[in-house]
Amino acid sequence: MQSIQAKLVLENGSVYRGTAFGHIREAIGEVVFNTSLTGYQEVLTDPSYAGQIVTMTYPMIGNYGINPTDNESGKIWASAFIVHEVSRVNSNFEASQGIDSFLKESGVMGLAGIDTRRLVREIREKGAMRGIISVLDESNENLQKRALQSPEMSGLDLVKTVTVSKQYTLEREDALFHVVAIDFGIKANILRMLHNAGCKVTVLKAGTVVEEVIALNPDGVFLSNGPGDPSAVGYAIETIKKLIDYNRTTRLLPIFGICLGHQLLSLAFGAETYKLKFGHHGSNHPVKNLKSGKIEITSQNHGFAVTMESLPENIEMTHLNLYDNTVEGIKHKKLPCFSVQYHPEAAPGPHDSHYLFDEFITLMDLTQPISLKR
């Protein structure tokens, strides 16, 4: 295979030279790193990575290939993929193709052969930065300028680029509950977990207004993960505020949020969010359940967090990140509304956090009208 020289130029002028793979083109985005040892297929197809160039810290990526069942969505959302070494062969009985062809057919560029340890150290020290990967013989100064001209993640609404275009339903004949899931960039395994828990799930686009949600007469509402700055998704915050008011004035309707859904629920309750220096991206983050005292090993993917000091009095913090003491979960003290920053469906523990889906099911059971209880 012919080696095509490529380089990454960060917005601060740092240059990393390597070789291109996948779809040979240019790519621009916010450069972040992920510390997972496996799961690169799930990472690439997670809509929460829209607008980002993902760097894997594990030194060799691609050795078990790509299979038809592990995608978290219908396409690759990451802007580009950076690895130290890309495996040109794969060994797995489920694999249907290699990572190079996967990226190539998806139109996504890869960069290999760089010192990923150096890049990760720079991001940790200086923060996540915009970057550009190019195979063109263009000056570093010009590439830096183009990186600086690309959109910053703060203030950026990427939800509108990843949300479903029209409503659809995952039917289940023996469904005990009907869940409306608002899609801000939902992962396939979240839908699978809700469906396997006995739920019929109707997926709505992010711009859905509260009247459309209520018209479906759901037993619960799920707020999904997604990319970008939560404070920029004002239309979603407004809908969630009205769902909270519906809880207060009409009937109890459980609300469960994950990742961006957690941030949006917190904002709807009056809290604030801020951009993390380099975000949380990986499958080994320890989180403390403040009620049970247990430590959960969690999977995380977010660049923003809820400001702890901004939580209103009627909101209780339920989970704490043990790496940097950031908010990992909240719940309302009276209403059936709760959320977590991490991904319980990703199962890094592997089942440390599955109880959260059970809690959602329990809340829907408890808040059903007496005449509907089974």
Side-chain angles (χ1 to χ4, degrees), residues 223 240 244 255-259 261-272 288 290 306-308 310-312 314-320 326-333 335-342 356 359 363:
L223 309 174
I240 297 167
I244 293 169
I255 301 175
F256 175 28
I258 286 177
C259 199
H262 157 76
Q263 298 162 4
L264 293 172
L265 182 64
S266 299
L267 287 167
F269 275 125
E272 299 173 356
K288 184 174 183 179
L290 298 178
V306 175
T307 305
M308 188 181 300
S310 73
L311 292 174
N314 58 3
I315 296 298
E316 175 185 351
M317 187 172 73
T318 58
H319 296 78
L320 178 71
T326 50
V327 177
E328 287 287 348
I330 63 154
K331 72 173 183 178
H332 193 276
K333 293 180 179 178
L335 302 177
C337 306
F338 73 106
S339 61
V340 291
Q341 180 64 79
Y342 55 96
L356 292 161
E359 289 186 1
L363 281 177

Side-chain angles (χ1 to χ4, degrees), residues 40 62-66 87-92 95-99:
Y40 50 80
N63 57 312
Y64 59 85
I66 301 293
S87 178
R88 300 296 182 178
V89 296
N90 59 79
S91 179
N92 188 308
S96 58
Q97 65 182 133
I99 192 168

Side-chain angles (χ1 to χ4, degrees), residues 45-50 72-75 77 157-170 179-191 194 201-209 212-213 216 220-228 233 235-237 239-240 243 255-262 264 343:
T45 55
D46 182 349
S48 295
Y49 279 112
E72 289 290 358
S73 67
K75 59 176 285 187
W77 286 102
D157 175 13
L158 288 170
V159 167
K160 59 189 177 185
T161 68
V162 303
T163 189
V164 66
S165 59
K166 62 180 180 179
Q167 171 183 324
Y168 66 93
T169 300
L170 300 178
V179 172
V180 163
I182 304 180
D183 176 18
F184 306 120
I186 198 164
K187 294 170 64 178
N189 203 35
I190 291 176
L191 292 173
L194 290 170
V201 185
T202 299
V203 181
L204 303 181
K205 62 184 179 181
T208 299
V209 296
E212 294 176 276
V213 177
L216 292 168
V221 175
F222 178 79
L223 309 174
S224 87
N225 61 292
V233 197
Y235 50 89
I237 298 169
T239 295
I240 297 167
L243 285 170
I255 301 175
F256 175 28
I258 286 177
C259 199
L260 183 68
H262 157 76
L264 293 172
H343 284 270

